[in-house]
Amino acid sequence: MKHSSAIWTHCLCTSVCLLTLAACAQEDATLRPGDNDHRTLQEALLTAEPGAVIELAAGRFELDATLSLDVEGVTLRGQGMDDTILDFSSQAPGTGGEGILATADDFTVENLAVENTRGDGIKVEGTTGAAFRSVRVEWTNGPDTNNGAYGLYPVQVTNVLIEDSRVRGASDAGIYVGQSANVVVRRNEAWENVAGIEIENTTGADVYGNRAHGNTGGLLVFSLPELPVKDGRDARVYDNDIVENNLPNFGKEGAIVSTIPAGSGIIVMASDNVELFENRIHRNQNSNLAVISYLSTGRAYNDPGYDPYTEGVYIHDNEFVGGGESPNGDFADAFVALAGGAFPDIVWDGVSNPDKLVAGKVPADLRLYIENNGDADFVNLDLGSVFAGGEPNVSTDLAAHQGSLPAVPQPVDLGAATGGAP
């Protein structure tokens, strides 16, 4: 018995020692700020196995070049968006521009901050599965034309989740999802960007529970020409606070976002089958909500496959407060007189595709429907008549827009790779 007991005690001690060593090894695997942060983090990304979790300690990592990743299933995890900071203030020209560039499937970044990149904050491109959770991207000097264009920037990605994140200072869009499919953007804050949140040329997007305030434009649902992926559709935009987006535009000259008038709450342009409901849209001084075709921008394009018309929009059960008192920009300069000198809560350019008219009318499934928005007012600028060479028949009558569209087929199901949604 004493011999067996001694063996058992020895085995127990050995197991405890091994567990202790394993715990120490696991603790040592957490990366900490040091003398050459870029090399340390880049080596960890280059040597990561598929499915690896790379833990970053609290502290400030000083980085002078882009961090790139092409290994699938990797999670980059900090200790909190105000605790683990990747600082790119010393990023040199010709070193990539982005803070993080991921080109592998199922990339997750969470609980950290990216500050002061020369270009985009975090870009994920050409993949399936991308999740951004509790991430802060910020240009700490505030709004500046020389800041990077995009904060959180998935492009040509299927299955995108962006949640509980914050972006400030982007010279284009703080949170941008472009040319993608199956997207959830929820519970984020975007402020002091040119565009707070932008959904562009994307199919199937749920955008809810966000707060966009103090931007030039709060929330954009756009389709633009001359891009590889055409024509966005099937977006639900609901339960968002789109408040006081009156910041002067500081976008780079030539970019379409540089033409967004200061004071734009929500703009839907050239996207189809969009439902906007239960949003709080307050005090956006150009216009609270505008639905326009790309033709109304006056910008030329060369893209035979592009559809510039906005079709099938349903606006209901939103709360509008103030706004529209200070129209500005090329669109306002040309058309505000038609609206009586100020823009009402909901502005429609009145442009429909003439090739789709039936007996001179827009088919039911392609119409604009507006109902149950309290005392929100409205204008149809009838620019379609102007573009056809006639005189506009401006109308503020909502009676022609009563009714509803079938609900957008949502919620988006992202599957297990991004934690699922909703």
Side-chain angles (χ1 to χ4, degrees):
M1 291 293 294
K2 288 183 181 180
H3 181 69
S4 299
S5 177
I7 292 175
W8 183 87
T9 301
H10 175 74
C11 291
L12 177 62
C13 292
T14 301
S15 298
V16 170
C17 290
L18 290 173
L19 288 171
T20 302
L21 288 172
C24 291
Q26 181 65 34
E27 182 179 350
D28 289 342
T30 299
L31 303 180
R32 292 172 169 76
D35 294 333
N36 195 330
D37 291 333
H38 181 267
R39 183 176 66 187
T40 299
L41 271 61
Q42 186 59 73
E43 285 182 355
L45 294 170
L46 287 172
T47 60
E49 297 291 333
V53 176
I54 298 174
E55 292 273 358
L56 305 182
R60 183 174 292 272
F61 293 79
E62 304 286 349
L63 300 159
D64 56 10
T66 296
L67 296 171
S68 59
L69 172 72
D70 61 1
V71 179
E72 69 178 36
V74 169
T75 296
L76 185 63
R77 177 185 297 153
Q79 306 307 307
M81 68 169 72
D82 294 318
D83 299 308
T84 299
I85 299 168
L86 308 186
D87 185 351
F88 290 85
S89 299
S90 299
Q91 192 169 19
T95 58
E98 299 93 353
I100 300 171
L101 173 61
T103 55
D105 292 347
D106 299 327
F107 171 62
T108 297
V109 56
E110 58 191 16
N111 302 330
L112 56 77
V114 169
E115 293 183 354
N116 301 324
T117 55
R118 293 183 64 87
D120 309 319
I122 305 174
K123 181 177 182 179
V124 182
E125 184 174 20
T127 72
T128 297
F132 306 77
R133 293 191 180 94
S134 298
V135 174
R136 176 172 60 86
V137 175
E138 185 171 358
W139 287 267
T140 58
N141 59 321
D144 190 317
T145 302
N146 295 317
N147 291 349
Y150 303 105
L152 301 178
Y153 184 25
V155 61
Q156 296 186 28
V157 178
T158 299
N159 295 350
V160 176
L161 173 64
I162 302 176
E163 64 181 7
D164 303 316
S165 295
R166 304 173 65 201
V167 185
R168 170 182 180 243
S171 64
D172 196 304
I175 296 172
Y176 171 99
V177 183
Q179 304 177 68
S180 296
N182 298 339
V183 173
V184 174
V185 178
R186 62 188 179 192
R187 303 189 304 269
N188 303 288
E189 181 182 13
W191 79 108
E192 294 187 352
N193 309 281
V194 175
I197 300 170
E198 181 172 356
I199 308 299
E200 184 180 286
N201 293 57
T202 287
T203 297
D206 255 357
V207 183
Y208 64 93
N210 303 286
R211 179 172 173 78
H213 62 99
N215 307 284
T216 301
L219 195 155
L220 315 179
V221 183
F222 276 13
S223 287
L224 299 180
E226 299 166 3
L227 294 173
V229 177
K230 310 294 183 186
D231 302 335
R233 60 178 299 110
D234 298 343
R236 290 199 314 172
V237 177
Y238 65 98
D239 191 27
N240 299 286
D241 291 300
I242 312 298
V243 177
E244 296 178 353
N245 292 283
N246 302 313
L247 183 70
N249 195 313
F250 62 98
K252 291 179 172 63
E253 186 175 355
I256 190 169
V257 76
S258 70
T259 66
I260 293 173
S264 298
I266 298 176
I267 304 176
V268 180
M269 183 177 72
S271 290
D272 299 341
N273 202 27
V274 179
E275 184 178 9
L276 304 107
F277 61 100
E278 297 178 3
N279 299 288
R280 293 157 295 279
I281 311 170
H282 296 179
R283 298 182 296 277
N284 301 283
Q285 294 302 318
N286 180 67
S287 65
N288 276 322
L289 197 164
V291 179
I292 64 174
S293 68
Y294 188 81
L295 301 178
S296 292
T297 68
R299 296 171 70 97
Y301 66 93
N302 181 19
D303 187 347
Y306 173 65
D307 177 2
Y309 300 97
T310 302
E311 297 172 332
V313 176
Y314 183 26
I315 302 167
H316 64 95
D317 298 287
N318 299 284
E319 176 185 273
F320 292 89
V321 175
E325 295 91 346
S326 302
N328 64 96
D330 293 341
F331 186 86
D333 292 344
F335 307 121
V336 71
L338 299 177
F343 280 146
D345 291 307
I346 303 169
V347 178
W348 179 41
D349 68 357
V351 179
S352 301
N353 187 344
D355 295 334
K356 294 184 179 179
L357 300 182
V358 177
K361 295 184 178 180
V362 179
D365 61 334
L366 305 182
R367 294 177 186 169
L368 170 65
Y369 292 95
I370 303 171
E371 62 179 8
N372 301 330
N373 295 288
D375 59 358
D377 48 4
F378 161 80
V379 67
N380 169 9
L381 297 175
D382 191 28
L383 299 186
S385 295
V386 175
F387 297 151
E391 292 295 322
N393 180 22
V394 176
S395 173
T396 59
D397 184 9
L398 277 170
H401 301 279
Q402 295 301 301
S404 62
L405 289 170
V408 175
Q410 305 284 359
V412 172
D413 182 7
L414 299 180
T418 54

